[in-house]
Amino acid sequence: MPSWTDIVRFAFQPVVNLTTGGVTALEILARPESGDILAQARRDPELDGRLAALAIRAATRKETLLPLHVNVFAGTLADLGGLSALRNEVREAGRLPWEVTVDIGPPYTHVPQHALLEAVAAVRGEGFRICADGIGDGDVPLRLLTDLAPELMKLDVSLLSRPAAVRAMRTLCEQLGALLSVEGVETELQCAAAVSAGAQLAQGELFAPPARLPSADVYVPALSPGVRSTPRSGPSVRQFVRPAALLPTTASAGQVRALLTGSPDVSGVLLVDPSGKLVRSVHRSRFLLAMSGPYGHALYADRPASKLGDPPRTVGVDATAWEVLDVVADGDRGRTSDDVAVVDRHGRCVGVVRLADLVRALSENRVEEAAGLNPLTRLPGSDAITGEVDQRIADGRMFALSWLDIDHFKQVNDRAGFAAGDELIRAVGRALQFSASEATLVGHIGGDDFLVLADPDILDPLAASVLDAPWAAGGRAVTLSLATVLCAPGSVIDHRQAAASLAPLKQAAKALDGASWVLGRAGLPGHEIRRGARAPMEPYGQTLTG
C-alpha cells in the first residue's frame, strides 16, 4: 500500500516585493495527487508537522537560496508545543532558522490560545519568523493576532474591497512592526489596490502561479505615477529588502566562490555567527577578483572566507531609505556598491538593500513630487494633502485641516495687477511654510487658496503668524480668511468627508469683516469665531468676489 508521502507533491509560489519587483521568498504549498490529506492534517498535528518538514526537504532538493514560507495549522503549533521535525529538517538542509517563516493558518476555533502563544515564543526564540496567514478569510481573533505579534500578516485579496478593514490592518502592522502582504492577487487592479493599501508584499496568479520548480521570474505590472504612498520622512527600508545569501563564519573561500558562481544574481554573501548575527560581508566583485588573481585560488580556497570580507554595513528594520543612503555616504567610497544589511532587534539579518533600488525609488518619488507642485509657490497640491489626511485617519490621529485665502482677491488683481497678486500669493505661501512645524503640511490648491494640515496644538501660533501680519498689494491693505475643522478619531472616514466638514466653515469665515478665523469640529453643529466680526448687511446685488 503506498505511503501518503507518495501522493503529495510540493509547489512553489513566489512572494513578490511590490517596490523592487523582485522575489523575496517562496511559499511551499502541499499538492496531494489524490485524497484530502490537508483535511487530515488539520485534524492530525503530527501529520501536519511532517508535511512542514517535507516541504523544507522539497525545497532543498531544488537548491533554491530564497527564504522559505512553510504552512502550519494553528492547532498543530499549539498541540506540538514546537515543530521538532521541521527544526531537524531545516538543520539537515543547512538552512538558518531565520531564513524560514512559519505561516500559521486557521482554524483557530478551539485552539488553546495560551499553548499557541507559548509555542510561538519557542519557535521564534530559535530564530524562525512568524506569519499570521489567512486574515480576512479565517477566524483569527483580533486580540490573539496582536498577542502573536507576527513579523508578517497575509491578507486575503477579498479584503481589498473593504478599504476601512485594510487601513485598520495596515495601522496594526505599523504598530507591531510587521510587514503587510496580500495573497490571491489575480488582476492588475487588485495589485494597484494592494499597493495603495500600503502592502509591501503580495503573491498570486498575476505574478506567478504555483510551480514544481522554484522561480524568480515573475510579472509585476507597472504602477501608475502617484499610486505608491510615501511617508514624508522617507519610505521604509522594509519596502526594499531583498533576500540575503547567508553562510556561517566558518565557511571557506571555496564555499563562497561556489555559491557566487552558481548564483549570478547574488551580489554578495553575508557571514553570520551561530546566533545569526552578522560578522563579515563579502562583496561579489572584489572577492572573485581576489580569487581569480595569480595564485588566488591556491592561496585562499581553503582559508576562511572572512579573510576576504569587510565589516558589514547595517541598518535596523525601522530605518528609512534616507538613513540607508546616509550609511552609504558616510562609509568607504570604495564600497558604495556594497549591499546594506537590514537587521532585526536581535541583530540577525532579515535581508539586504541594494543602492540602485533606493536611488531609483527616491528619484521617482522626487519626480512625482515635483510634478504635483504649484508652479507659483512650489507648494504641493491637493493630492498630497488629501493623501496625508487619509493616512492620519487610518492612524487614528486627531488633526486640524485648515483652508486659507486672500479676501477679495479679484479686486487685488484688478487694482494692483496680476504681478502684485502673484507676489502676494507667494508671500502668503512663504509665511505659512515658515510658521509650519515638522508635522505640518502646507498645500497651494490654486489661485489664492491654501490648505494646511496640522496638529491641533500649533493652530494658535500658526493663525497668529498669518492673520496678525500686515498684508498689502499695490499700496492697499489686504486681509486673510482662515477656516479650520478639527477631526477627532472616528469623526470622518476619509478626506472627502473632512473637506465637506470644512466647506461651511469657509463660507462662515468669508462672511466676517477683516482678518477672520472660524473653527469647527467634524460631526458637531455650529462653529466658534476666533477672529473677525460679522459684516453689516450689504445692499441687494452688491457682492464682493473672493
Side-chain angles (χ1 to χ4, degrees):
M1 184 174 180
S3 166
W4 62 266
T5 58
D6 296 331
I7 61 173
V8 177
R9 299 292 181 264
F10 292 92
F12 301 87
Q13 185 168 46
V15 180
V16 177
N17 185 312
L18 291 173
T19 298
T20 65
V23 177
T24 189
L26 293 171
E27 181 175 355
I28 314 173
L29 304 166
R31 290 289 186 262
E33 295 184 349
S34 63
D36 194 358
I37 196 170
L38 294 182
Q40 298 177 44
R42 187 180 295 114
R43 300 186 297 268
D44 185 346
E46 290 288 347
L47 174 58
D48 193 33
R50 291 171 64 191
L51 276 175
L54 282 176
I56 295 294
R57 185 179 302 176
T60 303
R61 292 171 177 167
K62 306 302 181 183
E63 298 183 347
T64 177
L65 293 174
L66 288 166
L68 305 173
H69 286 237
V70 180
N71 293 286
V72 173
F73 291 111
T76 296
L77 201 51
D79 187 271
L80 296 181
L83 297 168
S84 57
L86 175 64
R87 294 199 304 271
N88 294 337
E89 199 65 53
V90 169
R91 186 168 54 252
E92 288 294 323
R95 285 279 192 165
L96 298 169
W98 40 95
E99 294 180 88
V100 178
T101 298
V102 179
D103 286 13
I104 305 174
Y108 288 84
T109 303
H110 306 308
V111 174
Q113 295 188 8
H114 183 70
L116 176 60
L117 292 174
E118 283 189 343
V120 166
V123 171
R124 178 180 278 131
E126 295 182 18
F128 291 93
R129 304 190 186 282
I130 301 298
C131 166
D133 200 356
I135 297 174
D137 194 35
D139 60 347
V140 55
L142 186 58
R143 186 176 66 181
L144 176 61
L145 186 60
T146 58
D147 289 342
L148 287 173
E151 284 79 19
L152 174 65
M153 294 190 194
K154 287 186 178 180
L155 304 187
D156 186 80
V157 71
S158 62
L159 271 191
L160 292 177
S161 62
R162 298 164 176 82
V166 177
R167 287 198 298 268
M169 295 311 304
R170 182 182 63 186
T171 300
L172 180 58
C173 284
E174 291 171 353
Q175 294 294 322
L176 297 177
L179 293 176
L180 182 66
S181 180
V182 177
E183 52 186 351
V185 175
E186 297 181 351
T187 68
E188 295 192 7
L189 285 176
Q190 290 174 338
C191 179
V195 174
S196 297
Q200 295 97 351
L201 308 174
Q203 58 190 109
E205 295 280 343
L206 174 67
F207 311 107
R212 291 292 177 87
L213 294 177
S215 174
D217 185 17
V218 295
Y219 167 73
V220 180
L223 298 172
S224 302
V227 169
R228 299 188 188 276
S229 176
T230 302
R232 296 180 66 206
S233 58
S236 169
V237 71
R238 296 169 185 264
Q239 298 180 24
F240 304 95
V241 173
R242 291 176 176 265
L246 303 176
L247 285 176
T249 52
T250 55
S252 68
Q255 290 175 297
V256 172
R257 184 176 184 274
L259 189 157
L260 292 175
T261 54
S263 307
D265 293 334
V266 173
S267 55
V269 176
L270 298 175
L271 305 179
V272 296
D273 67 15
S275 68
K277 294 183 179 179
L278 289 178
V279 178
R280 302 291 280 179
S281 172
V282 179
H283 183 265
R284 179 186 187 92
S285 298
R286 293 196 298 273
F287 175 85
L288 292 179
L289 183 63
M291 290 289 287
S292 63
Y295 313 110
H297 189 271
L299 284 173
Y300 298 117
D302 297 324
R303 299 182 65 186
S306 58
K307 299 292 184 182
L308 294 175
D310 300 290
R313 299 189 300 183
T314 63
V315 295
V317 292
D318 296 322
T320 66
W322 295 109
E323 291 175 281
V324 179
L325 292 184
D326 288 341
V327 170
V328 174
D330 293 341
D332 183 349
R333 292 188 177 182
R335 298 184 61 191
T336 53
S337 63
D338 287 21
D339 295 339
V340 176
V342 181
V343 297
D344 64 16
R345 60 181 179 274
H346 303 293
R348 299 181 302 218
C349 180
V350 301
V352 295
V353 175
R354 294 183 180 177
L355 181 61
D357 289 337
L358 295 183
V359 172
R360 185 183 307 111
L362 293 176
S363 62
E364 289 174 354
N365 182 53
R366 285 292 181 257
V367 169
E368 290 177 12
E369 285 183 358
L373 297 181
N374 187 287
L376 183 61
T377 58
R378 307 304 295 168
L379 289 173
S382 60
D383 287 347
I385 302 290
T386 55
E388 184 66 16
V389 166
D390 286 338
Q391 181 64 58
R392 296 196 187 194
I393 292 172
D395 293 342
R397 295 171 57 186
M398 185 170 184
F399 63 89
L401 182 63
S402 298
W403 161 89
L404 179 139
D405 83 341
I406 301 167
D407 294 330
H408 316 313
F409 184 68
K410 184 177 184 301
Q411 294 182 11
V412 172
N413 275 341
D414 290 345
R415 295 172 181 173
F418 290 105
D422 286 351
E423 181 52 40
L424 179 59
I425 289 173
R426 281 192 289 264
V428 172
R430 288 193 296 268
L432 286 171
Q433 283 184 294
F434 182 77
S435 59
S437 69
E438 187 174 327
T440 303
L441 187 60
V442 178
H444 181 193
I445 59 175
D448 61 320
D449 291 310
F450 295 87
L451 278 179
V452 182
L453 178 62
D455 291 335
D457 57 359
I458 72 148
L459 285 176
D460 286 322
L462 179 67
S465 67
V466 290
L467 296 182
D468 291 344
W471 299 103
R476 293 176 179 270
V478 174
T479 58
L480 308 180
S481 292
L482 178 66
T484 300
V485 59
L486 294 177
C487 298
S491 62
V492 291
I493 62 172
D494 58 19
H495 69 269
R496 297 176 183 85
Q497 198 170 49
S501 300
L502 185 59
L505 301 176
K506 170 183 174 180
Q507 297 302 319
K510 295 298 291 182
L512 300 175
D513 270 345
S516 61
W517 179 20
V518 166
L519 183 143
R521 288 169 173 77
L524 297 177
H527 60 265
E528 174 187 352
I529 298 176
R530 291 283 186 96
R531 299 282 186 97
R534 296 192 182 278
M537 185 69 69
E538 295 173 350
Y540 178 80
Q542 293 184 12
T543 59
L544 294 175
T545 303

